[in-house]
Amino acid sequence: MRHVITLLVENEFGVLARIASLFSGRGFNIECLSVAETLDPTVSTMTIVTRGDDQIIEQVLKQLNKLIPVIKVVDLIDKDFVEREMVLVKVSATEKTREEILRITDIFRGKVIDVGSKTYTIEVTGDEKKIDALLSLLKPLGIKELVRTGRVAMARGSKAITELT
Amino acid sequence: MKKTGSQIVVECLKKEGVDTLFYYPGGAVLPLFDELISSPFRQILVRHEQAAVHAADGYARASGKVGVVLVTSGPGATNTVTGIATAYMDSIPVVILTGQIPTYLIGNDAFQEADIIGITRPCTKHNYLVKEIKDLSRIIKEAFYIARSGRPGPVLIDLPKDILVGSTEFKYPEKISIRGYRPTLEGHLGQIQRAVHLILKSKKPVFYVGGGIISANASKELFQFAETLSIPVTMTLMGLGGFPGNHPLSLGMLGMHGTYHANMAVMESDLLIAVGARFDDRVTGKLESFAPQAKVIHIDIDPTSISKNVRVDLPIVGDCKHILLKMISLIEKEDFSSFKEGLHKWHRQIENWKSIYTMSYQQEQSIKPQYVIEKIDELTKGEAILTTEVGQNQMWAAQYYKYLKPRTFLTSGGLGTMGYGLPAAIGAQVAFPNRLVIGISGDGSFQMNSQELATAVQYRLPIKVAILNNGYLGMVRQWQEFFYGKRYAASSLEGHSPDFVKLAEAYGAIGLRATKPEEVVPILKKAFSLPEPVVIDFVVDPEENVYPMVPAGEPLNQMRLV
């Protein structure tokens, strides 16, 4: 089962390497990962999407907690949460497809952020399903390149991650 | 007051109560060695950096204190990796200081540069690269705290040369605050109460205890608990000495080469009380058929150990000394007389298993390795500290010596490191200059760190090394005999090892040899009476096997007994 894990870590060198090597060393998989500084510059937040049965996820959470620079680990799957991802897509644009691309972008509330003589570059944010749906529509039109940020996620409601249990 | 980085290191080590360093110098750490000349530490110069870590590890296991290692950058640092991984797998508190090239050269592939932080990340509890001198004293304090607290383990500090020669205002941090590291010591009271009730309801309980009993110094509590309720105790390799091996409630070791009755008791038990153990594959055999009727209580300080391999019915995270004490106090309030009476049948069943099979060997013309260990046990009355290498020598040392006290059996259990025993014996002897320290060795393992005889001789450490010389990498040969149709690929050393007596003498130690059973006791007596390091070459039966044996991946009750 897919799990979205969010963690607070010390914002210091080597932390990402520690987490990555924990996953590779123990045979856990990372579907995607994003990391950036929080309001407190000494702390970073990380969102990891991973898959595994209950026993594996239990180990993932415990092993993450065991790392000294990891301050807090929350598995959002147990909670009501929102997740978003941004994608940049460079799509081939011909006279025939230009209109269609713009229409799809519009439907997905995306933006065209760069226009070339033969391509459009589109920016769209959304959850995984929305991004996948967008890509499946654009694919037949000719995707030249795409870059996804990986998920960021947050629990719904008034509590911050530091207050979650 | 302003101090150099090197001076700060020395001051911090003093504050941590360090009395001994195991080290090997080199270019990048010369500023620190220069400072050490006038420092109060006992300083042991080993002959290989791997041995420095094993020695510090042996020192730590024997004494309960943190072992400290100092080596240089590059190859000095990479040579420590096996030692560090050994300590990590067995949860031994060691702090390793490595030299590093100056910060401004890091990443340039400079002479003797190695990314030791990257290399040791997966085999240390934590590691630090000191990038600014202002962080130095805090890092050293944290490193010692992390190494010895919670589930102990090795911590490495990488010290660039410019940090060692730089200077700053020295202030020793009095407090420690690591927001991502707060080990749980007290167990959850509700869980502890539930555990007590589960125990008092059980009919066939077994204590299954591991190295955690020893690192938590909880043997006394375990003893009291087991005796109060008459619950039998089996130990893992790492747990030997955690409960007296000669006690009627001791089942001895369980697992692949465990006793018949220990394995049968675990398989038939209705309640396993695991304390400071981690359900290693060498203990459980085939997981799916491990202790099928048993409910499992698991007491461990490391939450990741719980439900990693075996589903646990009742986990208690915390320090086992605290938790056992709490359990004892709760039990004393209960009426447990009917529980104890109910155990008679269980004890009879165990006695029955004991009578079916006890570990034994055939005495013949040649020396049997088990006989050597038995005689060492008899002569030392369980009072010595034994270290082992890995393989048959290790298993016989585990099976045929009755460990009575914790911290008397030092062995590489998790990683299974050949070459551990001799330097670990040196470390133990440094910790206890007046105790008898015996390194049980094989002719293969001994050669993996035999250069350390020079260290033993230099510091007049009267260790006794007993080589069970069968001319084979014995455990490899045993597996080849059982599982590879007796095709002895690469496992014979016969005729290709040095003369161990002459080798010992070349180092300035004493070399002795026994080839007949009747020579064993006199030679041991002689060795134990000598004030020098002694190597004894016991020429033993070349094809003796370790029994019982549960083949890897088989259920624990499928033992080969002969």
Side-chain angles (χ1 to χ4, degrees):
Chain A
M1 189 175 141
R2 178 175 158 273
H3 285 251
V4 180
I5 298 165
T6 177
L7 36 161
L8 292 179
V9 301
E10 298 286 348
N11 185 10
E12 58 188 31
F13 77 96
V15 176
L16 181 59
R18 271 178 219 284
I19 287 168
S21 91
L22 167 66
F23 273 76
S24 67
R26 293 197 177 264
F28 306 144
N29 71 78
I30 299 184
E31 217 160 86
C32 66
L33 179 152
S34 67
V35 52
E37 199 175 288
T38 61
L39 259 184
D40 175 355
T42 67
V43 177
S44 292
T45 178
M46 214 177 261
T47 311
I48 299 176
V49 181
T50 181
R51 268 173 207 281
D53 60 27
D54 289 351
Q55 200 183 357
I56 289 183
I57 296 299
E58 185 182 330
Q59 271 297 309
V60 168
L61 299 173
K62 285 173 169 178
Q63 294 285 355
L64 284 169
N65 257 317
K66 193 170 163 179
L67 294 175
I68 301 219
V70 171
I71 302 163
K72 180 133 192 182
V73 182
V74 177
D75 184 0
L76 288 174
I77 282 302
D78 310 332
K79 322 226 175 288
D80 198 8
F81 71 103
V82 286
E83 57 175 321
R84 287 293 179 270
E85 180 176 26
M86 188 168 89
V87 64
L88 301 180
V89 199
K90 195 173 278 182
V91 201
S92 305
T94 63
E95 227 159 89
K96 270 199 211 157
T97 59
R98 270 176 201 278
E99 275 298 304
E100 178 70 1
I101 293 167
L102 290 176
R103 207 163 29 238
I104 292 169
T105 309
D106 202 36
I107 292 167
F108 282 83
R109 295 187 203 163
K111 279 190 286 191
V112 176
I113 54 172
D114 189 51
V115 182
S117 57
K118 289 177 188 158
T119 57
Y120 280 147
T121 301
I122 299 164
E123 169 202 313
V124 177
T125 48
D127 60 18
E128 192 182 9
K129 275 186 190 151
K130 178 178 165 186
I131 305 283
D132 288 345
L134 168 81
L135 295 177
S136 69
L137 288 173
L138 291 178
K139 213 171 165 187
L141 305 177
I143 295 175
K144 294 197 69 178
E145 186 184 357
L146 80 93
V147 183
R148 299 171 76 149
T149 55
R151 243 56 53 75
V152 290
M154 200 179 260
R156 286 184 190 272
S158 52
K159 281 185 176 164
I161 175 178
T162 47
E163 301 162 313
L164 292 172
T165 47
Chain B
M1 202 174 77
K2 277 214 161 189
K3 284 191 185 297
T4 66
S6 297
Q7 287 167 334
I8 291 173
V9 172
V10 170
E11 285 308 311
C12 288
L13 294 182
K14 282 193 216 162
K15 290 272 191 189
E16 291 300 331
V18 173
D19 53 23
T20 307
L21 299 177
F22 298 90
Y23 65 23
Y24 203 98
V29 275
L30 281 180
L32 185 45
F33 274 85
D34 200 41
E35 204 58 50
L36 287 173
I37 291 179
S38 53
S39 75
F41 311 119
R42 175 136 203 232
Q43 301 170 39
I44 308 293
L45 173 70
V46 294
R47 298 303 190 269
H48 188 291
E49 289 91 345
Q50 180 191 348
V53 189
H54 290 327
D57 167 315
Y59 171 92
R61 291 189 208 223
S63 69
K65 294 191 271 187
V66 179
V68 185
V69 175
L70 169 62
V71 298
T72 192
S73 66
T78 55
N79 273 346
T80 63
V81 171
T82 301
I84 296 174
T86 303
Y88 183 65
M89 287 289 270
D90 291 345
S91 310
I92 306 304
V94 181
V95 169
I96 306 99
L97 307 168
T98 51
Q100 182 56 280
I101 56 155
T103 49
Y104 50 84
L105 283 177
I106 288 177
N108 278 12
D109 299 329
F111 178 66
Q112 294 197 326
E113 176 178 3
D115 173 16
I116 199 62
I117 293 299
I119 291 169
T120 59
R121 209 173 270 132
C123 63
T124 49
K125 185 170 171 187
H126 195 49
N127 60 17
Y128 294 92
L129 169 62
V130 184
K131 287 180 131 180
E132 291 182 71
I133 191 167
K134 69 173 173 56
D135 298 328
L136 181 57
S137 52
R138 173 185 59 83
I139 286 175
I140 296 175
K141 188 166 177 86
E142 284 185 7
F144 276 85
Y145 172 65
I146 291 171
R148 68 162 78 93
S149 60
R151 179 178 179 174
V155 179
L156 183 142
I157 308 173
D158 206 16
L159 298 164
K161 196 171 187 178
D162 55 329
I163 301 288
L164 292 177
V165 298
S167 61
T168 188
E169 208 57 45
F170 173 62
K171 200 168 162 280
Y172 184 71
E174 294 302 330
K175 275 198 179 145
I176 259 187
S177 156
I178 310 170
R179 51 188 164 180
Y181 179 68
R182 296 208 177 93
T184 311
L185 293 182
E186 305 296 337
H188 186 278
L189 188 58
Q191 292 289 84
I192 293 176
Q193 283 164 338
R194 276 186 280 278
V196 167
H197 290 139
L198 214 52
I199 291 170
L200 292 179
K201 271 199 304 196
S202 68
K203 300 269 183 287
K204 298 188 276 180
V206 178
F207 266 115
Y208 147 50
V209 306
I213 279 287
I214 290 164
S215 57
N217 299 312
S219 308
K220 228 172 67 188
E221 289 73 16
L222 172 70
F223 187 85
Q224 195 188 342
F225 198 153
E227 274 214 323
T228 307
L229 291 186
S230 290
I231 297 176
V233 180
T234 180
M235 289 160 274
T236 69
L237 183 67
M238 293 301 299
L240 290 175
F243 188 79
N246 61 355
H247 193 281
L249 287 171
S250 169
L251 305 177
M253 183 171 74
L254 82 164
M256 183 176 272
H257 294 295
T259 64
Y260 177 75
H261 48 279
N263 286 346
M264 292 306 287
V266 166
M267 290 298 275
E268 295 293 320
S269 71
D270 67 351
L271 180 68
L272 263 188
I273 314 159
V275 190
R278 60 186 177 85
F279 297 87
D280 178 82
D281 55 279
R282 285 295 192 265
V283 158
T284 61
K286 188 179 183 187
L287 265 180
E288 300 79 65
S289 45
F290 176 69
Q293 295 125 40
K295 285 210 182 294
V296 178
I297 297 171
H298 192 178
I299 301 170
D300 206 291
I301 197 153
D302 179 2
T304 68
S305 286
I306 289 169
S307 289
K308 183 172 67 180
N309 301 329
V310 166
R311 259 289 142 207
V312 170
D313 299 286
L314 207 154
I316 309 175
V317 174
D319 182 281
C320 51
K321 190 185 183 89
H322 291 236
I323 293 168
L324 290 177
L325 267 175
K326 188 77 214 169
M327 289 174 97
I328 293 167
S329 76
L330 288 175
I331 279 169
E332 280 169 348
K333 289 183 200 144
E334 304 268 340
D335 174 22
F336 51 80
S337 52
S338 66
F339 166 80
K340 273 180 89 166
E341 259 165 52
L343 286 191
H344 287 322
K345 213 174 138 197
W346 181 225
H347 286 295
R348 270 202 306 278
Q349 170 78 70
I350 290 170
E351 285 309 314
N352 190 31
W353 283 320
K354 279 188 190 168
S355 68
I356 292 173
Y357 178 84
T358 32
M359 237 174 317
S360 62
Y361 56 92
Q362 292 291 318
Q363 189 65 267
E364 286 162 22
Q365 297 293 67
S366 57
I367 301 176
K368 293 290 178 158
Q370 300 95 323
Y371 177 74
V372 176
I373 307 290
E374 256 180 11
K375 291 298 144 189
I376 292 176
D377 186 28
E378 279 174 32
L379 290 173
T380 63
K381 302 183 181 66
E383 289 293 327
I385 296 175
L386 262 65
T387 73
T388 76
E389 300 291 345
V390 168
Q392 289 184 321
N393 68 81
Q394 179 185 34
M395 290 301 117
W396 286 318
Q399 292 176 330
Y400 286 88
Y401 190 96
K402 300 274 173 285
Y403 300 91
L404 304 180
K405 292 177 188 157
R407 304 191 181 281
T408 56
F409 180 58
L410 321 183
T411 193
S412 168
L415 196 68
T417 309
M418 290 170 72
Y420 170 80
L422 172 54
I426 288 174
Q429 190 79 80
V430 169
F432 294 103
N434 298 320
R435 285 180 69 176
L436 180 58
V437 179
I438 306 166
I440 306 298
S441 191
D443 46 317
S445 292
F446 178 72
Q447 295 183 64
M448 283 213 184
N449 265 322
S450 57
Q451 79 285 343
E452 295 309 318
L453 281 178
T455 310
V457 170
Q458 179 180 348
Y459 297 97
R460 300 172 184 275
L461 302 167
I463 57 166
K464 315 300 170 203
V465 180
I467 303 178
L468 306 176
N469 181 357
N470 55 11
Y472 279 110
L473 302 173
M475 191 57 92
V476 173
R477 192 207 57 76
Q478 179 171 339
W479 280 56
Q480 288 169 333
E481 177 186 333
F482 288 1
F483 312 119
Y484 296 88
K486 298 193 177 182
R487 293 183 298 279
Y488 296 145
S491 55
S492 173
L493 302 176
E494 185 53 40
H496 304 291
S497 286
D499 179 327
F500 293 118
V501 173
K502 283 187 185 158
L503 185 72
E505 286 166 0
Y507 277 109
I510 296 193
L512 303 170
R513 177 172 292 123
T515 55
K516 296 193 210 81
E518 60 270 24
E519 294 169 353
V520 170
V521 169
I523 249 179
L524 283 171
K525 281 185 176 161
K526 182 177 178 193
F528 296 163
S529 70
L530 291 167
E532 290 97 353
V534 181
V535 175
I536 317 165
D537 182 15
F538 288 103
V539 180
V540 299
D541 185 341
E543 301 206 352
E544 187 68 19
N545 288 324
V546 178
Y547 293 110
M549 177 176 190
V550 181
E554 296 281 323
L556 213 49
N557 51 7
Q558 303 295 309
M559 283 165 270
R560 286 187 187 219
L561 299 176
V562 281

